[in-house]
Amino acid sequence: MELHEKYFSELTAAELYELLRIRAEVFVVEQNCVYQDLDYDDQQSVHLWLTVAGRVVALCRVCPAGTHMHEVSIGRVVTTDRGKGYGRQLMCRAIEAARHHFGARRIDIEAQCYARGFYEQVGFRQASDVFMLDGIQHIRMTWEESFLGETSCRSSV
């Protein structure tokens, strides 16, 4: 397994194409949700993805404060090979990247409700009531530096 971590400006055309293709495959096609994925937040973000044998198995982006959300945020979280722990490993690395690149002491996400337990495993806590976003129920969740002892994150990549 290999971790890739790049700012938008460092992505090759082929890498960007593959990340966007996977996002569309999952968020638009699989979830049957028509929405505007390309939102101009990618250009300021750090993009992370895991590959196994050259194939992307998980991806996300880390947005600086003031772009996608008021605080530093992690979004567009996708796991293509589910049930193998890749999503958890990626989220732990995304938290590290948010702290390293953007000095995050707090990270916000907009999580689909069904994924609440997944995000709780890596230290996020529910911070809002349920709301609709692009026709899917979401909640806002927050990670704070003070929660570090409550996470299952281990440097495993």
Short mmCIF file of all heavy atoms in Angstrom, two decimals, residues 71-100:
data_model
loop_
_atom_site.label_atom_id
_atom_site.label_comp_id
_atom_site.label_asym_id
_atom_site.label_seq_id
_atom_site.Cartn_x
_atom_site.Cartn_y
_atom_site.Cartn_z
N GLU A 71 -13.60 26.21 9.29
CA GLU A 71 -12.39 25.58 9.81
C GLU A 71 -11.74 24.74 8.71
O GLU A 71 -12.34 24.52 7.66
CB GLU A 71 -12.75 24.66 11.00
CG GLU A 71 -13.37 25.36 12.18
CD GLU A 71 -12.41 26.22 12.97
OE1 GLU A 71 -11.18 25.99 12.88
OE2 GLU A 71 -12.89 27.13 13.67
N VAL A 72 -10.54 24.24 8.98
CA VAL A 72 -9.93 23.25 8.09
C VAL A 72 -10.92 22.09 7.99
O VAL A 72 -11.58 21.74 8.97
CB VAL A 72 -8.58 22.77 8.66
CG1 VAL A 72 -8.03 21.60 7.85
CG2 VAL A 72 -7.57 23.91 8.71
N SER A 73 -11.04 21.52 6.80
CA SER A 73 -12.01 20.44 6.62
C SER A 73 -11.42 19.31 5.78
O SER A 73 -10.46 19.50 5.04
CB SER A 73 -13.29 20.96 5.97
OG SER A 73 -13.03 21.45 4.67
N ILE A 74 -12.02 18.15 5.95
CA ILE A 74 -11.68 16.97 5.14
C ILE A 74 -12.96 16.59 4.41
O ILE A 74 -14.03 16.55 5.02
CB ILE A 74 -11.20 15.81 6.01
CG1 ILE A 74 -9.92 16.20 6.78
CG2 ILE A 74 -10.95 14.56 5.15
CD1 ILE A 74 -9.48 15.20 7.82
N GLY A 75 -12.83 16.32 3.13
CA GLY A 75 -14.02 15.98 2.37
C GLY A 75 -13.72 15.11 1.18
O GLY A 75 -12.58 14.74 0.93
N ARG A 76 -14.79 14.81 0.44
CA ARG A 76 -14.72 13.94 -0.73
C ARG A 76 -14.03 12.64 -0.38
O ARG A 76 -13.18 12.13 -1.09
CB ARG A 76 -14.01 14.63 -1.90
CG ARG A 76 -14.61 15.96 -2.37
CD ARG A 76 -16.07 15.81 -2.81
NE ARG A 76 -16.51 16.91 -3.64
CZ ARG A 76 -17.19 17.97 -3.20
NH1 ARG A 76 -17.50 18.07 -1.92
NH2 ARG A 76 -17.56 18.92 -4.03
N VAL A 77 -14.41 12.08 0.78
CA VAL A 77 -13.81 10.84 1.27
C VAL A 77 -14.47 9.66 0.55
O VAL A 77 -15.67 9.49 0.61
CB VAL A 77 -14.01 10.71 2.80
CG1 VAL A 77 -13.40 9.41 3.31
CG2 VAL A 77 -13.42 11.92 3.53
N VAL A 78 -13.64 8.87 -0.12
CA VAL A 78 -14.13 7.74 -0.90
C VAL A 78 -13.24 6.53 -0.62
O VAL A 78 -12.02 6.65 -0.61
CB VAL A 78 -14.08 8.03 -2.42
CG1 VAL A 78 -14.46 6.80 -3.23
CG2 VAL A 78 -14.93 9.21 -2.79
N THR A 79 -13.87 5.40 -0.42
CA THR A 79 -13.15 4.12 -0.37
C THR A 79 -13.72 3.25 -1.48
O THR A 79 -14.92 3.02 -1.53
CB THR A 79 -13.34 3.43 1.00
OG1 THR A 79 -12.91 4.32 2.02
CG2 THR A 79 -12.53 2.15 1.07
N THR A 80 -12.86 2.80 -2.38
CA THR A 80 -13.33 1.99 -3.50
C THR A 80 -13.28 0.51 -3.18
O THR A 80 -13.98 -0.28 -3.80
CB THR A 80 -12.51 2.26 -4.77
OG1 THR A 80 -11.13 1.92 -4.52
CG2 THR A 80 -12.60 3.71 -5.20
N ASP A 81 -12.43 0.12 -2.26
CA ASP A 81 -12.28 -1.28 -1.86
C ASP A 81 -12.66 -1.34 -0.38
O ASP A 81 -11.82 -1.21 0.51
CB ASP A 81 -10.84 -1.73 -2.09
CG ASP A 81 -10.71 -3.23 -2.24
OD1 ASP A 81 -11.70 -3.94 -2.00
OD2 ASP A 81 -9.60 -3.69 -2.58
N ARG A 82 -13.94 -1.52 -0.12
CA ARG A 82 -14.50 -1.36 1.22
C ARG A 82 -14.25 -2.57 2.12
O ARG A 82 -14.08 -3.68 1.65
CB ARG A 82 -15.98 -1.05 1.11
CG ARG A 82 -16.22 0.27 0.39
CD ARG A 82 -17.70 0.59 0.21
NE ARG A 82 -17.85 1.87 -0.47
CZ ARG A 82 -18.31 1.99 -1.71
NH1 ARG A 82 -18.69 0.95 -2.39
NH2 ARG A 82 -18.42 3.19 -2.25
N GLY A 83 -14.25 -2.29 3.43
CA GLY A 83 -14.15 -3.33 4.42
C GLY A 83 -12.74 -3.81 4.72
O GLY A 83 -12.55 -4.82 5.40
N LYS A 84 -11.74 -3.10 4.23
CA LYS A 84 -10.35 -3.52 4.44
C LYS A 84 -9.55 -2.53 5.29
O LYS A 84 -8.35 -2.68 5.45
CB LYS A 84 -9.66 -3.73 3.09
CG LYS A 84 -10.32 -4.85 2.30
CD LYS A 84 -9.59 -5.15 1.03
CE LYS A 84 -10.28 -6.31 0.33
NZ LYS A 84 -9.70 -6.58 -0.97
N GLY A 85 -10.23 -1.50 5.83
CA GLY A 85 -9.55 -0.54 6.70
C GLY A 85 -8.86 0.60 5.98
O GLY A 85 -8.23 1.44 6.61
N TYR A 86 -8.98 0.65 4.65
CA TYR A 86 -8.31 1.71 3.90
C TYR A 86 -8.87 3.09 4.24
O TYR A 86 -8.13 4.07 4.33
CB TYR A 86 -8.42 1.47 2.40
CG TYR A 86 -7.78 0.20 1.91
CD1 TYR A 86 -8.44 -0.61 1.00
CD2 TYR A 86 -6.52 -0.21 2.36
CE1 TYR A 86 -7.86 -1.79 0.53
CE2 TYR A 86 -5.94 -1.38 1.91
CZ TYR A 86 -6.62 -2.17 1.00
OH TYR A 86 -6.04 -3.33 0.54
N GLY A 87 -10.17 3.19 4.42
CA GLY A 87 -10.78 4.47 4.75
C GLY A 87 -10.29 5.01 6.07
O GLY A 87 -9.97 6.20 6.20
N ARG A 88 -10.21 4.16 7.08
CA ARG A 88 -9.72 4.59 8.39
C ARG A 88 -8.27 5.04 8.30
O ARG A 88 -7.89 6.07 8.84
CB ARG A 88 -9.86 3.46 9.41
CG ARG A 88 -9.45 3.91 10.83
CD ARG A 88 -9.34 2.75 11.80
NE ARG A 88 -8.36 1.75 11.40
CZ ARG A 88 -7.03 1.91 11.53
NH1 ARG A 88 -6.53 3.02 12.02
NH2 ARG A 88 -6.22 0.95 11.15
N GLN A 89 -7.45 4.26 7.61
CA GLN A 89 -6.04 4.63 7.45
C GLN A 89 -5.91 5.98 6.74
O GLN A 89 -5.09 6.83 7.13
CB GLN A 89 -5.29 3.55 6.69
CG GLN A 89 -5.13 2.27 7.49
CD GLN A 89 -4.46 1.19 6.69
OE1 GLN A 89 -3.41 1.41 6.10
NE2 GLN A 89 -5.07 0.01 6.65
N LEU A 90 -6.70 6.16 5.71
CA LEU A 90 -6.65 7.42 4.97
C LEU A 90 -7.09 8.59 5.84
O LEU A 90 -6.46 9.65 5.83
CB LEU A 90 -7.51 7.34 3.71
CG LEU A 90 -7.46 8.61 2.84
CD1 LEU A 90 -6.10 8.74 2.17
CD2 LEU A 90 -8.57 8.59 1.82
N MET A 91 -8.17 8.43 6.60
CA MET A 91 -8.64 9.52 7.46
C MET A 91 -7.60 9.87 8.53
O MET A 91 -7.41 11.05 8.83
CB MET A 91 -9.97 9.15 8.12
CG MET A 91 -11.17 9.33 7.22
SD MET A 91 -11.40 11.02 6.61
CE MET A 91 -11.71 11.89 8.14
N CYS A 92 -6.93 8.89 9.08
CA CYS A 92 -5.88 9.18 10.06
C CYS A 92 -4.77 9.99 9.42
O CYS A 92 -4.27 10.97 10.00
CB CYS A 92 -5.34 7.88 10.64
SG CYS A 92 -6.51 7.02 11.72
N ARG A 93 -4.40 9.65 8.20
CA ARG A 93 -3.37 10.41 7.50
C ARG A 93 -3.87 11.79 7.10
O ARG A 93 -3.12 12.76 7.09
CB ARG A 93 -2.89 9.64 6.27
CG ARG A 93 -2.16 8.35 6.63
CD ARG A 93 -0.98 8.55 7.61
NE ARG A 93 0.09 9.30 7.05
CZ ARG A 93 1.21 8.79 6.56
NH1 ARG A 93 1.40 7.49 6.60
NH2 ARG A 93 2.14 9.57 6.06
N ALA A 94 -5.16 11.90 6.79
CA ALA A 94 -5.73 13.21 6.45
C ALA A 94 -5.71 14.14 7.66
O ALA A 94 -5.45 15.34 7.52
CB ALA A 94 -7.15 13.04 5.92
N ILE A 95 -5.98 13.60 8.84
CA ILE A 95 -5.89 14.41 10.06
C ILE A 95 -4.46 14.90 10.25
O ILE A 95 -4.22 16.08 10.52
CB ILE A 95 -6.39 13.61 11.29
CG1 ILE A 95 -7.90 13.38 11.19
CG2 ILE A 95 -6.02 14.33 12.59
CD1 ILE A 95 -8.44 12.35 12.18
N GLU A 96 -3.50 14.00 10.07
CA GLU A 96 -2.09 14.39 10.15
C GLU A 96 -1.76 15.48 9.12
O GLU A 96 -1.05 16.45 9.43
CB GLU A 96 -1.17 13.18 9.92
CG GLU A 96 -1.19 12.16 11.02
CD GLU A 96 -0.33 10.94 10.66
OE1 GLU A 96 0.54 11.02 9.77
OE2 GLU A 96 -0.56 9.89 11.30
N ALA A 97 -2.25 15.32 7.90
CA ALA A 97 -1.99 16.30 6.84
C ALA A 97 -2.61 17.64 7.18
O ALA A 97 -2.00 18.70 6.93
CB ALA A 97 -2.51 15.78 5.50
N ALA A 98 -3.82 17.64 7.73
CA ALA A 98 -4.48 18.89 8.12
C ALA A 98 -3.67 19.63 9.17
O ALA A 98 -3.53 20.86 9.13
CB ALA A 98 -5.89 18.61 8.63
N ARG A 99 -3.11 18.88 10.11
CA ARG A 99 -2.29 19.48 11.16
C ARG A 99 -0.98 19.99 10.57
O ARG A 99 -0.54 21.10 10.89
CB ARG A 99 -2.05 18.47 12.26
CG ARG A 99 -3.35 18.04 12.95
CD ARG A 99 -3.14 16.98 13.99
NE ARG A 99 -2.57 17.61 15.18
CZ ARG A 99 -1.83 16.97 16.07
NH1 ARG A 99 -1.57 15.69 15.92
NH2 ARG A 99 -1.36 17.61 17.12
N HIS A 100 -0.36 19.21 9.72
CA HIS A 100 0.94 19.56 9.14
C HIS A 100 0.86 20.73 8.16
O HIS A 100 1.61 21.70 8.26
CB HIS A 100 1.55 18.33 8.45
CG HIS A 100 2.80 18.63 7.69
ND1 HIS A 100 4.01 18.83 8.29
CD2 HIS A 100 3.00 18.79 6.36
CE1 HIS A 100 4.92 19.10 7.36
NE2 HIS A 100 4.33 19.07 6.18
#
